[in-house]
Amino acid sequence: MNTGALRVALVDDHAVVRAGYRRLLELENIEVAAEFADADSAYAALSPDSADPPDLLVLDLSLPGRSGLELLQRLQQRRPQVRVLVFTMHDSVPLVLQCLRAGAAGFVTKSSAPQVLVDAVHRAVRGERPLSPDVAAAVEREEAHAQSAAPHLRLSTREFDILRALIEGASVEEISRRLHLSPKTVSNYQTQVRQKLGVTTAVELLHYAREHGLTQGT
């Protein structure tokens, strides 16, 4: 690997996808220093005493077990010096805003041209906030109109993960297995989410999600 190359780590559960990203980035003198297939392995590797952390983590959100969004928040508490660029298939503006609130350095969708990802890596390391063109205008419009006061944008990262799962139609038991939480804990979170959003039933929750653009890209 070239000396002095920018060093990144990839977090994506598809090995073939990671291989494609690796080739793309290495052609641009960006070293892929590590690859992880799930959030827990990435979190373990980036412990406070781990040596030589990457300059940037390129993170997918849809991972087995803990979500990429939860990993993002946990890393901000553990290794805040490691910047995180979200790179995902999801393009929901509320989700983008939630990631930025949780500490993401930028957000790029997988429908973007390859050069968009390469440019975003460089910009994120420089301290800029890269957003792919398909979400940038909408995100800036939301921020300009100060709509961050919407109830779902005040949810914690864990609550937002629960909300996304509920919108997808997952049961309490399914969410429990997916997030490694007890069914009772998930039920408590579900109650908190409904209270914060001002809804009482699953139908009302789905209506809220549709009204606020949460069903697309979740």
Side-chain angles (χ1 to χ4, degrees), residues 20-203:
Y21 298 157
R22 174 185 285 273
R23 285 193 295 270
L24 170 66
L25 295 173
E26 290 180 346
L27 285 173
E28 299 290 337
N29 194 37
I30 298 172
E31 177 185 349
V32 177
E35 296 183 20
F36 306 101
D38 58 71
D40 286 341
S41 59
Y43 186 73
L46 292 172
S47 63
D49 57 351
S50 61
D52 202 19
D55 301 300
L56 182 75
L57 199 68
V58 180
L59 173 66
D60 191 11
L61 294 179
S62 298
L63 300 170
R66 298 182 191 275
S67 71
L69 183 55
E70 183 179 357
L71 173 61
L72 169 62
Q73 185 180 56
R74 296 178 76 201
L75 286 177
Q76 286 301 300
Q77 299 170 352
R78 187 181 216 181
R79 298 296 293 265
Q81 70 274 27
V82 177
R83 297 182 182 276
V84 178
L85 174 67
V86 173
F87 186 50
T88 180
M89 63 178 287
H90 304 302
D91 60 1
S92 161
V93 172
L95 179 58
V96 180
L97 293 173
Q98 186 74 11
C99 288
L100 296 175
R101 284 182 58 220
F107 192 106
V108 176
T109 63
K110 289 184 176 179
S111 60
S112 304
Q115 193 58 40
V116 171
L117 173 61
V118 174
D119 292 342
V121 168
H122 287 290
R123 291 182 58 199
V125 171
R126 290 198 301 265
E128 301 175 31
R129 190 186 74 168
L131 301 173
S132 55
D134 53 342
V135 300
V139 168
E140 291 168 3
R141 186 165 57 249
E142 287 279 323
E143 292 178 331
H145 289 115
Q147 292 184 1
S148 59
H152 62 273
L153 294 176
R154 292 198 296 267
L155 297 177
S156 69
T157 300
R158 174 62 84 188
E159 289 169 341
F160 196 78
D161 271 341
I162 298 290
L163 172 61
R164 292 179 64 211
L166 291 171
I167 292 170
E168 293 170 359
S171 67
V172 168
E173 290 73 20
E174 290 170 336
I175 299 172
S176 173
R177 291 192 297 270
R178 184 187 305 179
L179 300 181
H180 305 295
L181 299 172
S182 71
K184 181 178 179 181
T185 297
V186 174
S187 294
N188 290 339
Y189 273 119
Q190 179 179 232
T191 299
Q192 293 171 15
V193 168
R194 288 183 176 181
Q195 288 176 343
K196 290 185 178 183
L197 300 188
V199 302
T200 57
T201 67
V203 173

